[in-house]
Amino acid sequence: MRKLYTNKTFTNNNSIKLMLFAVLLITSIFSSYSQVRVPFSPRTSNYTIKGDFTMVGNTNLTLVNYGNNTDNNNDMEYVDIDGTAVPGNNTLNSSSALVTFSTENGAIPDCSKILYAGLYWTGRSEDTNSDPNLDGDNDQNTFQVTKGGITKNFDKRKVSLKGPLSSGYTEITAGASGIISDPINIAYPTNGDERNMYVGYADVTAYVTANGIGEYFVADIALVEGDGGGTGYYGGWGMVIVYENSKMNWRDVTVFDGHAFVNSGVASHTIDVSGFNAVPFGDVNLKLGLMAGEGDIGVSGDYFEMIIPDNNDDENDLTTLNDNSYQRLSHSGNTTGNFFNSSIGPAANTRNPNLQNNSGLDIVMFDIDNTGNVLIPNNKTYTRFRYGSTQDTYIIFNATFSVDAYIPEPEGVLNITSINGSPPSPPDILEPGQYSDYTLEIKNTGTEATINTIITIPLPETVNPSNLNITSNTYSPFSTTNVPYYDNDPVHGPNGAIIWNLGSLPVPSDPNTVLADISFRLTVTSDCNTLTDPSFNPEVSLEGTIVGNGAISNISFNFPLILGYQVAGLCAGEPVPAPSIIDIDYLDYINEPPTASNPAPINIECGGTVPPADILVVDDEADNSGINPIVAWVSDVSDNGTNPEIITRTYSVTDDCNNSINVTQTITIADTQDPDTPTLADVTGECSATATAPT
């Protein structure tokens, strides 16, 4: 019976930017009886987050005559469950699984932020002998299958994915090259001991972020029906998602993958993992996720183990681990002597179909028993896994590991206190020359003091770094003689930064205690070169960091400043991440011309001298930038032939944004006085004197 699930909308409201610590060192030791097409390596950087990972998946191939304990070297048929869930679909195989997140410490799954999602698909769709189900050469990455009047051109490098908010399938491609050793694709072997077990991979972070939590379908994996011989056919998919939520515990999460074929009789393989920081006190909780193919439910002898540390271990010399003992692992759906047994779990995960026997596919996620911290002690930073087989044959292609981590927790809360002298009233807008005032409150909400604690607030390029009006205060039990200052070193950003070296932050009795605060002012630039630059972004966008080390653990931290916490709605209590953004209204400013009055007129008696042009007579010019405009003489134009004669003198006034206006001054030349000794009558009625031309 098909079972469909209600879509849930993923709300991406809040996040704490992930912290990157030491990169994992992944190594593998292989015997002559194995093939490693792609060595295990980190798929992403190590995530040190308040959050966790989840892993889901399902089979797209099952037994014609299903049995809980029947191996897949029998007749197999497609699983195809999408039906009316995908309008107009014509898939040949499909299955689904429900993605959910933890509610640890009251965390709301819809308020979690997805950091990474990786989709894997795997199968064995070829046998060493020609298969009548395949149309063409059976030893290829692409082939054609017809069933029920539907013909599909299958490609091992492609699958179809449908998330809870999508109306139809999206084709997902592992990569264009199809090269066996391409780490983007994982591996597509077509011969050798791997028995043609292929694995595809695609980063689907953007897709899963857009679709959120809910039911995911994966369809049309390149698989075939029928009897796959002694090894058998299998096929399905898995997805690992790393997410964060501010209410959850700190964890180090690592995702690594490869293509390791394990044949029967192989002694062991090892995977070394380092770079995490286990909590310094109390229980250390561990979780492991694994994806593997072709582990038979009826064939035992396969195992997965974790090293037991001893006093001789040296992280910098891995040969010191070679004489250690190991703890065999298991989960609720398998045993220590038959680890890879076609199980998908935890059993509580909702999926369709929900089979106990998944016919050669293992997608498991489980907590590791670390009672007494025997596998990962406090403050441990590395571990080793070992796996092998005495009878069964299988491939491993993903291992994801999380460990309770310890991170010091200072906090910087950034607030806007005024907009150009008035209380903030969003949406606030600033104009060039106007300012906004800020305060930053510093707390230590963790359980240990911090050292080398430094606040850095890069100044946006849209502000003038002058007149920052920086002030600061400290409050008991914290004190320091250091004061915040402006540093124009471009290492902090193109416009410098406000820096405050706090030194050591103590642990107050109340974690909400404000230990220090800093106030400062940012003034929007009036520089027209900046305002008219095509790359100018019209906003004051402010963010920063608080970095340092734990005084006891010496663990480093690098946290972004936050804007406070949501006070209402579904995600109340979640931190509001920086940046703080105020829009800038600058177009009127850069297009507004300067102002100036016409200079006082000049009257000259006939025969007098016209004074030369003088820009100083334009003495009340002004511009909104406060920068004096440039004044220049333009022309003198005379209305010759009139009495009195009028000369119009023009000056230009140009501001720093290249906006100009003209002002004019009139010079009147008139014959108003009787001649002292007239000798001739004024025949023309015009002034007979010649004025001196202006210079």
Side-chain angles (χ1 to χ4, degrees):
M1 181 176 66
R2 292 189 178 92
K3 185 175 181 180
L4 304 179
Y5 306 99
T6 303
N7 293 341
K8 295 184 180 180
T9 302
F10 180 80
T11 305
N12 183 9
N13 290 327
N14 314 292
S15 66
I16 302 175
K17 294 184 179 177
L18 62 90
M19 309 295 112
L20 298 181
F21 288 82
V23 175
L24 291 174
L25 171 64
I26 310 295
T27 60
S28 298
I29 301 173
F30 311 110
S31 78
S32 60
Y33 295 96
S34 67
Q35 289 271 358
V36 179
R37 292 285 182 158
V38 179
F40 275 88
S41 62
R43 175 53 66 175
T44 66
S45 297
N46 184 43
Y47 294 101
T48 301
I49 54 172
K50 282 188 170 183
D52 203 353
F53 78 90
T54 190
M55 184 177 287
V56 299
N58 214 339
T59 183
N60 284 33
L61 203 63
T62 190
L63 290 156
V64 173
N65 298 307
Y66 175 83
N68 284 343
N69 298 303
T70 304
D71 292 334
N72 64 309
N73 56 346
N74 289 277
D75 279 343
M76 302 292 289
E77 64 181 356
Y78 293 138
V79 171
D80 194 19
I81 59 92
D82 48 20
T84 58
V86 184
N89 89 87
N90 62 348
T91 61
L92 288 186
N93 62 74
S94 63
S95 65
S96 71
L98 188 69
V99 171
T100 59
F101 294 154
S102 172
T103 58
E104 176 183 80
N105 303 331
I108 300 172
D110 284 316
C111 298
S112 299
K113 179 186 178 183
I114 294 171
L115 302 177
Y116 163 79
L119 177 66
Y120 299 80
W121 58 95
T122 183
R124 181 175 184 268
S125 56
E126 300 155 17
D127 199 2
T128 54
N129 299 313
S130 178
D131 193 316
N133 288 309
L134 300 181
D135 191 5
D137 185 353
N138 70 326
D139 196 26
Q140 299 294 328
N141 286 329
T142 61
F143 53 87
Q144 190 177 89
V145 173
T146 299
K147 180 181 180 181
I150 299 174
T151 298
K152 286 286 183 178
N153 292 309
F154 279 147
D155 187 334
K156 294 179 182 178
R157 294 160 296 190
K158 297 180 179 180
V159 295
S160 294
L161 174 65
K162 181 192 136 12
L165 298 183
S166 298
S167 60
Y169 280 110
T170 297
E171 185 177 85
I172 304 296
T173 302
S177 68
I179 299 172
I180 287 177
S181 60
D182 187 341
I184 295 174
N185 295 324
I186 302 295
Y188 302 90
T190 56
N191 52 59
D193 288 341
E194 296 96 326
R195 307 292 202 280
N196 304 309
M197 302 173 196
Y198 72 90
V199 179
Y201 164 84
D203 186 322
V204 291
T205 304
Y207 185 91
V208 176
T209 298
N211 278 268
I213 56 179
E215 188 178 21
Y216 283 80
F217 294 80
V218 175
D220 284 343
I221 303 173
L223 305 172
V224 296
E225 298 179 313
D227 188 338
T231 302
Y233 293 141
Y234 80 94
W237 61 277
M239 184 160 59
V240 57
I241 302 172
V242 180
Y243 63 96
E244 63 180 358
N245 188 298
S246 68
K247 296 184 185 302
M248 295 179 66
N249 298 334
W250 281 103
R251 290 181 175 87
D252 276 302
V253 180
T254 62
V255 180
F256 45 100
D257 57 29
H259 187 285
F261 172 72
V262 181
N263 204 351
S264 60
V266 171
S268 66
H269 308 279
T270 62
I271 302 175
D272 292 310
V273 182
S274 67
F276 56 84
N277 293 294
V279 291
F281 309 105
D283 295 336
V284 181
N285 296 306
L286 313 175
K287 188 168 76 171
L288 179 66
L290 288 169
M291 300 184 190
E294 195 41 53
D296 290 303
I297 193 169
V299 182
S300 61
D302 43 283
Y303 57 88
F304 201 88
E305 303 174 326
M306 193 169 180
I307 198 168
I308 300 174
D310 61 32
N311 294 331
N312 296 322
D313 295 348
D314 183 354
E315 181 179 7
N316 298 314
D317 182 5
L318 296 181
T319 62
T320 60
L321 306 181
N322 293 342
D323 59 353
N324 287 54
S325 300
Y326 284 81
Q327 170 86 36
R328 288 207 168 181
L329 304 180
S330 65
H331 54 80
S332 60
N334 68 1
T335 64
T336 57
N338 190 8
F339 189 93
F340 298 103
N341 68 338
S342 303
S343 59
I344 297 179
N349 284 3
T350 303
R351 54 193 175 92
N352 190 5
N354 190 353
L355 303 175
Q356 176 181 327
N357 177 11
N358 294 280
S359 304
L361 183 70
D362 284 272
I363 308 289
V364 295
M365 178 179 65
F366 60 98
D367 294 328
I368 297 174
D369 184 1
N370 192 34
T371 302
N373 295 346
V374 295
L375 297 177
I376 300 288
N378 296 121
N379 295 310
K380 200 71 170 177
T381 61
Y382 62 94
T383 190
R384 171 177 283 182
F385 294 107
R386 186 171 72 176
Y387 58 94
S389 177
T390 60
Q391 296 186 77
D392 205 359
T393 297
Y394 59 91
I395 61 168
I396 299 177
F397 52 91
N398 175 279
T400 302
F401 176 68
S402 75
V403 56
D404 283 359
Y406 181 78
I407 302 294
E409 292 191 72
E411 178 182 86
V413 181
L414 187 65
N415 295 292
I416 301 173
T417 57
S418 82
I419 302 294
N420 209 39
S422 300
S425 181
D428 294 302
I429 296 177
L430 290 171
E431 297 179 5
Q434 294 184 340
Y435 62 87
S436 48
D437 291 316
Y438 300 83
T439 62
L440 176 67
E441 295 181 334
I442 297 107
K443 304 176 183 178
N444 186 359
T445 61
T447 57
E448 70 169 322
T450 68
I451 58 175
N452 306 319
T453 314
I454 300 174
I455 299 284
T456 302
I457 309 172
L459 298 189
E461 293 182 271
T462 54
V463 304
N464 186 342
S466 303
N467 302 318
L468 294 173
N469 293 352
I470 301 173
T471 61
S472 61
N473 300 289
T474 61
Y475 306 98
S476 179
F478 173 66
S479 66
T480 181
T481 58
N482 296 336
V483 295
Y485 62 94
Y486 170 69
D487 186 348
N488 64 359
D489 191 331
V491 69
H492 305 303
N495 208 14
I498 297 173
I499 308 292
W500 194 3
N501 188 339
L502 296 166
S504 299
L505 282 180
V507 179
S509 56
D510 181 355
N512 292 315
T513 300
V514 176
L515 299 176
D517 60 41
I518 176 176
S519 300
F520 55 94
R521 171 173 293 180
L522 299 183
T523 303
V524 178
T525 183
S526 299
D527 177 24
C528 269
N529 289 329
T530 300
L531 296 170
T532 58
D533 189 298
S535 64
F536 178 72
N537 185 19
E539 60 185 28
V540 179
S541 178
L542 190 66
E543 55 190 345
T545 58
I546 179 168
V547 303
N549 299 84
I552 300 173
S553 65
N554 200 36
I555 294 171
S556 62
F557 57 85
N558 184 335
F559 292 137
L561 304 181
I562 63 174
L563 306 182
Y565 295 87
Q566 291 194 47
V567 296
L570 177 67
C571 300
E574 288 291 312
V576 180
S580 165
I581 297 177
I582 304 173
D583 289 332
I584 299 173
D585 182 1
Y586 72 105
L587 294 178
D588 288 343
Y589 176 89
I590 64 174
N591 294 320
E592 182 180 355
T595 60
S597 300
N598 291 328
I602 298 174
N603 295 310
I604 300 174
E605 185 65 23
C606 181
T609 301
V610 176
D614 182 4
I615 62 174
L616 296 179
V617 300
V618 186
D619 60 0
D620 61 349
E621 71 277 4
D623 180 56
N624 53 21
S625 70
I627 300 174
N628 291 330
I630 297 173
V631 181
W633 172 76
V634 177
S635 66
D636 280 2
V637 178
S638 172
D639 60 347
N640 291 323
T642 65
N643 185 20
E645 178 185 0
I646 297 177
I647 299 173
T648 302
R649 176 165 289 170
T650 302
Y651 295 94
S652 68
V653 181
T654 305
D655 66 14
D656 59 331
C657 290
N658 282 326
N659 299 307
S660 296
I661 62 168
N662 290 337
V663 296
T664 59
Q665 181 181 41
T666 59
I667 303 172
T668 303
I669 304 171
D671 186 2
T672 61
Q673 298 179 4
D674 294 333
D676 293 336
T677 307
T679 57
L680 294 171
D682 191 337
V683 177
T684 64
E686 296 179 358
C687 177
S688 58
T690 301
T692 302
T695 59

